[in-house]
Amino acid sequence: MLAVKTLPSFKSTFSGSDLRRPSRLNGVPGFVQFSSTIRTRPLVRAVISDDKTVEPSKKSSAEEKGVNGSLVSGSSSVKEVRAVVTIRKKIKEKITEKIENQWELFMNGIGRGILIQLISEEIDPVTNSGKSVETSVRGWLPKPSEHTNILEYVADFTVPSDFGKPGAILITNLHGKEFHLLEIVIHGFDEGPIFFPGNTWIHSRNDNPESRIIFRNQAYLPSQTPPGLKDLRREDLLSVHGNGKGERKPHERIYDFDVYNDLGKPDKDEDLARPVLGGEERPYPRRCRTGRPPAKIDPLCESRIEKPHPVYVPRDEAFEEIKQETFSAGRLKALLHNLVPSIAATFSSSDIPFTCFSDIDKLYNDGFILKDDEQRELGDNLFIGNMMKQVLSVGQKLLIYEIPAVIRRDRFAWLRDNEFARQALAGVNPVNIEILKEFPILSKLEPSIYGPPESSITKELMEQELHGMSVEKAIEEKRLFILDFHDMLLPFIKRMNNLPGRKAYASRTVFFYSKTGILTPIAIELSLPPTPLSSRNKYVYTHGHDATTHWIWKLAKAHVCSNDAGVHQLVNHWLRTHACMEPYIIATHRQLSSMHPIYKLLHPHMRYTLEINALARQSLVNGGGIIEACFSPGKYAMELSSAAYESWRFDMEALPADLIRRGMAVEDPSVPGGVKLVIEDYPYAADGLLIWSAIKEWVESYVEHFYTEPDSVTSDIELQAWWNEIKNRGHYDKRNEPWWPKLATKEDLSGILTTMIWIASGQHAAINFGQYPFGGYVPNRPTLMRKLIPQETDHDFEKFIQNPQRTFLSSLPTKLQATKVMAVQDTLSTHSPDEEYLGQMNHLHRSWINDHDVLKMFDKFSAKLGEIEETINKRNKDTCLKNRTGAGIPPYELLLPSSGPGVTGRGIPNSISI
């Protein structure tokens, strides 16, 4: 039985171990001394005993009065309550782990594994702290869970009838290793079951003597915090701040900021040294601090930790086991660690270009054999997914790529000008096309360095392609559009072209939008930096009609696609979603309590992002990584990303604002999203605005529900600290910009949150999950070019005339480069089986909030997304919409909310999880 006793302080009865925490009040776990006015309080502790319940008449005088009055003589009325503690163990266990688990099971069963302390929302008037009772987990539920890896333990409490509502639980792990807590449910109170969502790792007391604080699923603004939880709320936030010193340990939950000083390997190779990103010279968002020692050669850089050792992320940010096993830590790491070296071994002795288009077709039809199989086990179940098939034959591995969507229906579609233009609106990078607002086209770069600002695309040349329409008339009717990478890339072209096997231009492409609704490229300008020996540095191409001009036009389009692929990957994908989202996540954990309603709103949209970013810094965007190896900017890739960050603005990341900025839409309050598209058949924008509007409606109703007073936003101290930290620490290099939205009203808050959720969900989905469907066929979207376009005066021009196909193919990535990037694109385009999609609720998070009104709002949001899915499917069958229907045209599905696992070309995950 459990007898209620009052103790002046708590010391474990197990082996005499002292469980007191030095920073806490009088040894009471869970309470830190914030000021001298907080008095020591006794614990109302449920102690496991074999004695019968002590009758009130037989209590000692000390027990009658209580120590310091915490349980007075009149509190003889008590109630029995039970906690059900749900723990998840690993699905796949080693023999040693199974033995350890049996021991833990035994220790939990006898009450020596887990201590839990229940904290009331009400204050004990004597101690000025929340009332509390404490017990240990003892025994397990007789009926096993339907999931063999889920264990349910019980802990019984006897609490006074005036205990009040429980609001928090302190949990102490006495085992030698961590465990994963799913949830704790308290039964026995009048209001019914009370849920304490966990989904968190509970560290061992050996690693950290501090108990973990778990709050119930009730959302409170700071000013609404029940008195008994105020100190705990503040302490829980402080516990994840850290002190900015030392190397972070794997078990820790510390969220802090740092610059990107871990991309290079100066100690290993001088050529792998990379500059620090973050600061006045090279501005950049901040990342999560790891605190590794400085490099020996360059103390400004952090020493590297190489695969397979993991980069630190706060413990709860790491991939869950199913994600590890079926996808990222398994699939992606297997790819990066094993497949790419295998491909390199296969092609390294003959890293040659494709010599004919049938060479490329063989990747999908015949595949290729991977060498050194014994040393490079891919892990059959961990890596190959929908887009690749693995065939084992005589101890060798045959890798066959699935045919990418862009050529599955029409293998020659990529050659057509209208398909080239269509992908600017409905491809994997539909966010760079702009309306042409003025003519001539002018550069904003310094003329003394980069030459005259005027483009070489002349009015006369343009009007030859406009079939009698003047340039002025075309601009007035909003029929001219541009894809302009000139100013972003030209400062890097000289350095890029000095890299072996890299040749690039800074491109501009002008499109004409016909009255029949067809977008067509009419002129391409390719620029090189001016040199003392050559004043001609801008080359203009049109599609032409003769054979030579036709092949040169194809080469010019390939160079544009290469520019587009690099900007897409380094700027629109990595920088604007992955890197810019990271500071929002860090600040959310540091400044918003887990009981804060905005924390609860954002929580699903932060899942796995810090882990995937850490993995990217280790293997993708690092010095010598796959992005440098496979994309045009090479070793200057992240410097290019930093240069692009100089023009980044948070207020322009909202979809309607971005469309208006690019001239692709005009304001119109009468339509979804508040804007009207200039090109109605713009699939990314048309579908995106539906998703944006649904998110906005959900967020606005949520914010309205919690912020009911006129000054409730400005008086929310946690919320204001959160926004200040995002601006002044997370995006430190942009802290003084005037464009940051103010956070004073509900409308301000709703706008900020809608933008963040859109970036994490719809925006990332639109530019990520089409990478293999569009980029898996190298000629359609080469990630780099290895030759400049031959000019008549070049000695290679005659070779081009004799065999233009060979010239074209030899300009593309080599077989090794192509297969590397195809493997990465396939993996990055894959949905994990445990993916959580926008508008869907994970069954493990079913008790995320105790608010019926909010749950009804979420159901409405979910239903709205279902309607949007139907609308998109109808659009994909509308023959008037030529950019998503027609012979050989793949439907636009990247913004369909739902998806199954694999490379599906559809589905909007809640968060940036790959």
Side-chain angles (χ1 to χ4, degrees):
M1 292 294 294
L2 293 174
V4 180
K5 298 181 181 179
T6 53
L7 303 174
S9 63
F10 171 58
K11 191 174 276 191
S12 173
T13 58
F14 307 133
S15 306
S17 301
D18 189 351
L19 295 188
R20 288 177 295 177
R21 301 185 295 176
S23 64
R24 307 296 171 94
L25 285 179
N26 200 35
V28 179
F31 291 84
V32 66
Q33 186 166 357
F34 295 112
S35 71
S36 58
T37 60
I38 298 178
R39 291 180 291 169
T40 301
R41 66 177 176 118
L43 279 176
V44 181
R45 180 182 170 214
V47 180
I48 295 174
S49 170
D50 293 329
D51 299 334
K52 296 180 180 180
T53 304
V54 179
E55 296 179 11
S57 61
K58 296 182 180 180
K59 288 182 180 178
S60 67
S61 59
E63 287 171 324
E64 244 180 286
K65 296 178 181 177
V67 182
N68 290 339
S70 67
L71 181 57
V72 296
S73 57
S75 300
S76 59
S77 177
V78 296
K79 66 173 69 177
E80 300 291 332
V81 299
R82 166 166 286 192
V84 177
V85 182
T86 306
I87 292 172
R88 181 173 62 199
K89 63 177 185 176
K90 289 180 67 175
I91 299 172
K92 296 181 180 180
E93 295 179 322
K94 300 175 183 177
I95 294 295
T96 53
E97 290 175 326
K98 289 182 178 179
I99 294 172
E100 288 175 354
N101 285 338
Q102 289 302 312
W103 175 250
E104 289 180 7
L105 197 69
F106 171 73
M107 296 300 288
N108 286 341
I110 64 172
R112 294 194 176 191
I114 303 169
L115 300 180
I116 58 176
Q117 186 177 354
L118 193 61
I119 309 296
S120 171
E121 293 184 348
E122 296 183 7
I123 283 283
D124 184 323
V126 176
T127 64
N128 205 29
S129 300
K131 300 173 183 177
S132 72
V133 292
E134 185 172 279
T135 188
S136 58
V137 167
R138 176 180 285 243
W140 44 87
L141 291 182
K143 293 182 180 179
S145 166
E146 60 185 71
H147 302 287
T148 55
N149 65 314
I150 305 295
L151 299 177
E152 293 178 325
Y153 295 100
V154 295
D156 293 319
F157 294 96
T158 302
V159 299
S161 58
D162 63 351
F163 184 76
K165 291 181 181 179
I169 287 175
L170 305 186
I171 185 163
T172 305
N173 175 10
L174 303 178
H175 296 295
K177 65 176 186 179
E178 65 184 4
F179 65 83
H180 192 270
L181 175 71
L182 284 179
E183 68 176 5
I184 300 175
V185 184
I186 304 294
H187 300 271
F189 284 91
D190 294 341
E191 62 181 285
I194 301 172
F195 291 88
F196 293 78
N199 200 31
T200 183
W201 288 94
I202 306 298
H203 58 259
S204 166
R205 188 186 57 169
N206 297 344
D207 291 324
N208 182 351
E210 306 288 316
S211 300
R212 279 295 306 281
I213 304 168
I214 310 294
F215 293 107
R216 69 173 295 187
N217 63 340
Q218 188 70 46
Y220 292 113
L221 295 176
S223 61
Q224 301 166 341
T225 310
L229 304 182
K230 286 184 176 179
D231 286 352
L232 284 179
R233 181 171 185 147
R234 175 169 167 76
E235 181 185 354
D236 190 47
L237 278 177
L238 291 176
S239 71
V240 302
H241 277 211
N243 58 10
K245 299 177 181 178
E247 184 173 356
R248 299 270 62 92
K249 305 293 192 298
H251 70 270
E252 292 179 329
R253 299 169 55 247
I254 303 301
Y255 296 80
D256 203 355
F257 298 98
D258 206 348
V259 294
Y260 278 71
N261 60 356
D262 62 341
L263 299 175
K265 306 177 188 177
D267 291 345
K268 181 179 180 180
D269 185 342
E270 183 179 344
D271 195 49
L272 293 177
R274 296 293 179 268
V276 174
L277 301 186
E280 189 174 340
E281 185 177 354
R282 295 182 182 90
Y284 218 62
R286 297 308 191 255
R287 64 170 176 92
C288 187
R289 181 182 178 277
T290 55
R292 293 192 302 273
K296 296 176 183 176
I297 292 179
D298 184 355
L300 294 178
C301 291
E302 192 172 83
S303 57
R304 293 274 301 172
I305 184 167
E306 300 298 347
K307 49 187 184 282
H309 303 292
V311 176
Y312 167 82
V313 292
R315 186 64 186 94
D316 288 339
E317 303 299 323
F319 294 141
E320 295 175 17
E321 185 183 5
I322 187 170
K323 178 84 167 179
Q324 294 172 338
E325 291 296 325
T326 59
F327 187 48
S328 288
R331 276 181 57 107
L332 184 55
K333 289 180 180 176
L335 180 150
L336 298 177
H337 303 171
N338 302 308
L339 176 62
V340 170
S342 296
I343 294 173
T346 300
F347 290 125
S348 60
S349 58
S350 57
D351 183 13
I352 56 176
F354 296 104
T355 55
C356 58
F357 284 99
S358 59
D359 280 355
I360 302 173
D361 294 339
K362 286 178 182 178
L363 295 174
Y364 316 111
N365 301 327
D366 302 334
F368 60 89
I369 293 172
L370 298 178
K371 297 179 182 177
D372 298 326
D373 182 60
E374 293 180 355
Q375 299 177 21
R376 296 182 173 92
E377 279 296 328
L378 298 184
D380 298 347
N381 297 324
L382 303 185
F383 172 64
I384 301 299
N386 281 5
M387 280 303 180
M388 298 185 211
K389 300 171 186 174
Q390 193 178 45
V391 182
L392 299 181
S393 174
V394 200
Q396 293 179 318
K397 293 197 174 178
L398 183 67
L399 189 66
I400 302 178
Y401 289 85
E402 191 75 14
I403 297 174
V406 72
I407 59 164
R408 192 178 302 147
R409 301 184 181 203
D410 181 356
R411 63 176 298 191
F412 301 112
W414 67 278
L415 287 165
R416 295 197 303 269
D417 284 355
N418 60 348
E419 176 62 17
F420 172 81
R422 188 188 75 85
Q423 290 183 30
L425 299 171
V428 71
N429 188 41
V431 297
N432 278 109
I433 189 168
E434 302 178 44
I435 200 164
L436 186 61
K437 297 177 181 177
E438 55 186 26
F439 200 85
I441 303 165
L442 299 175
S443 168
K444 296 178 182 177
L445 296 176
E446 174 55 50
S448 63
I449 300 175
Y450 299 105
E454 294 82 12
S455 167
S456 292
I457 299 176
T458 63
K459 185 174 186 289
E460 293 72 26
L461 184 144
M462 290 270 285
E463 290 180 348
Q464 288 176 19
E465 305 295 325
L466 294 180
H467 309 293
M469 183 180 287
S470 69
V471 169
E472 292 80 7
K473 183 70 172 174
I475 289 176
E476 180 186 340
E477 294 186 5
K478 298 183 177 180
R479 298 199 174 277
L480 290 179
F481 297 84
I482 187 169
L483 204 57
D484 192 347
F485 300 119
H486 179 276
D487 286 9
M488 185 186 298
L489 294 180
L490 193 60
F492 291 88
I493 293 296
K494 181 178 180 181
R495 286 180 287 170
M496 286 163 55
N497 287 350
N498 285 333
L499 296 172
R502 307 290 167 100
K503 289 293 183 266
Y505 301 92
S507 68
R508 288 189 179 107
T509 307
V510 177
F511 300 86
F512 177 68
Y513 184 59
S514 71
K515 292 181 180 179
T516 57
I518 302 298
L519 191 69
T520 309
I522 59 173
I524 293 174
E525 179 188 62
L526 301 178
S527 298
L528 295 170
T531 65
L533 299 178
S534 174
S535 58
R536 187 188 177 198
N537 68 319
K538 297 175 182 177
Y539 304 88
V540 178
Y541 302 97
T542 58
H543 52 77
H545 299 286
D546 64 275
T548 301
T549 309
H550 179 72
W551 272 103
I552 290 177
W553 176 246
K554 275 205 288 238
L555 282 167
K557 289 195 295 181
H559 274 282
V560 173
C561 288
S562 175
N563 277 188
D564 191 77
V567 171
H568 162 258
Q569 196 66 264
L570 294 164
V571 180
N572 300 328
H573 181 209
W574 168 255
L575 170 66
R576 291 176 59 188
T577 64
H578 284 260
C580 285
M581 194 72 197
E582 186 152 343
Y584 313 150
I585 295 171
I586 296 170
T588 299
H589 284 282
R590 286 170 55 88
Q591 301 299 340
L592 298 181
S593 166
S594 60
M595 68 170 74
H596 197 292
I598 302 306
Y599 177 94
K600 292 182 178 295
L601 175 69
L602 289 176
H603 187 259
H605 306 290
M606 304 188 291
R607 186 177 187 235
Y608 293 155
T609 304
L610 295 191
E611 171 83 336
I612 198 65
N613 285 3
L615 181 59
R617 296 199 315 274
Q618 189 178 41
S619 300
L620 287 176
V621 301
N622 59 302
I626 290 175
I627 299 300
E628 288 192 0
C630 298
F631 286 81
S632 286
K635 64 188 291 185
Y636 306 108
M638 290 297 280
E639 289 184 64
L640 172 62
S641 183
S642 169
Y645 180 62
E646 291 188 25
S647 59
W648 176 88
R649 292 177 52 157
F650 178 87
D651 60 329
M652 290 293 121
E653 293 301 292
L655 177 60
D658 176 60
L659 293 170
I660 292 170
R661 176 187 64 82
R662 291 189 282 122
M664 301 302 292
V666 294
E667 290 190 56
D668 185 347
S670 67
V671 295
V675 296
K676 182 179 180 181
L677 296 176
V678 171
I679 297 178
E680 181 184 350
D681 187 12
Y682 184 0
Y684 156 76
D687 295 356
L689 286 170
L690 295 179
I691 301 295
W692 169 272
S693 299
I695 295 171
K696 183 171 181 283
E697 183 180 338
W698 153 239
V699 169
E700 286 177 344
S701 62
Y702 187 94
V703 168
E704 181 73 33
H705 178 72
F706 287 101
Y707 291 88
T708 56
E709 302 299 325
D711 65 342
S712 51
V713 169
T714 54
S715 62
D716 185 336
I717 56 173
E718 288 182 6
L719 189 71
Q720 295 298 326
W722 167 77
W723 187 232
N724 285 333
E725 185 159 271
I726 286 171
K727 294 183 295 182
N728 296 317
R729 292 199 64 192
H731 286 275
Y732 179 82
D733 302 323
K734 297 285 186 179
R735 65 195 181 281
N736 295 322
E737 296 288 355
W739 42 252
W740 282 106
K742 290 181 170 54
L743 183 52
T745 66
K746 289 180 286 188
E747 291 73 23
D748 296 339
L749 177 57
S750 296
I752 290 166
L753 294 172
T754 301
T755 298
M756 289 180 179
I757 294 172
W758 161 253
I759 292 167
S761 58
Q763 178 71 356
H764 181 257
I767 60 180
N768 180 72
F769 292 104
Q771 290 194 72
Y772 187 82
F774 286 98
Y777 187 67
V778 177
N780 179 65
R781 195 169 175 77
T783 56
L784 60 81
M785 296 292 282
R786 300 189 305 120
K787 293 182 178 180
L788 298 176
I789 296 176
Q791 305 298 316
E792 291 186 14
T793 55
D794 295 346
H795 68 278
D796 282 342
F797 190 77
E798 186 59 33
K799 291 182 180 179
F800 162 66
I801 295 295
Q802 295 300 322
N803 194 336
Q805 175 179 288
R806 183 179 290 272
T807 298
F808 180 87
L809 289 171
S810 65
S811 300
L812 300 180
T814 64
K815 290 182 179 181
L816 173 59
Q817 291 167 331
T819 48
K820 264 188 183 181
V821 80
M822 287 166 68
V824 173
Q825 287 171 333
D826 173 77
T827 298
L828 297 182
S829 301
T830 302
H831 290 296
S832 170
D834 74 335
E835 197 76 87
E836 296 178 5
Y837 296 96
L838 193 65
Q840 297 180 4
M841 183 58 64
N842 186 318
H843 70 281
L844 295 176
H845 304 155
R846 63 192 184 278
S847 303
W848 67 285
I849 194 166
N850 181 33
D851 193 314
H852 183 66
D853 290 339
V854 168
L855 295 176
K856 284 176 63 177
M857 293 175 202
F858 184 82
D859 288 342
K860 182 180 178 182
F861 172 54
S862 183
K864 182 68 175 178
L865 290 171
E867 294 171 10
I868 289 171
E869 189 151 316
E870 292 180 10
T871 300
I872 293 173
N873 286 328
K874 288 178 182 177
R875 287 175 173 177
N876 285 331
K877 296 176 182 177
D878 185 344
T879 55
C880 295
L881 301 176
K882 304 298 184 185
N883 289 323
R884 58 203 308 161
T885 60
I889 301 295
Y892 187 77
E893 298 181 326
L894 288 170
L895 285 169
L896 281 172
S898 68
S899 176
V903 178
T904 63
R906 59 178 288 168
I908 304 177
N910 271 324
S911 63
I912 300 169
S913 56
I914 184 60

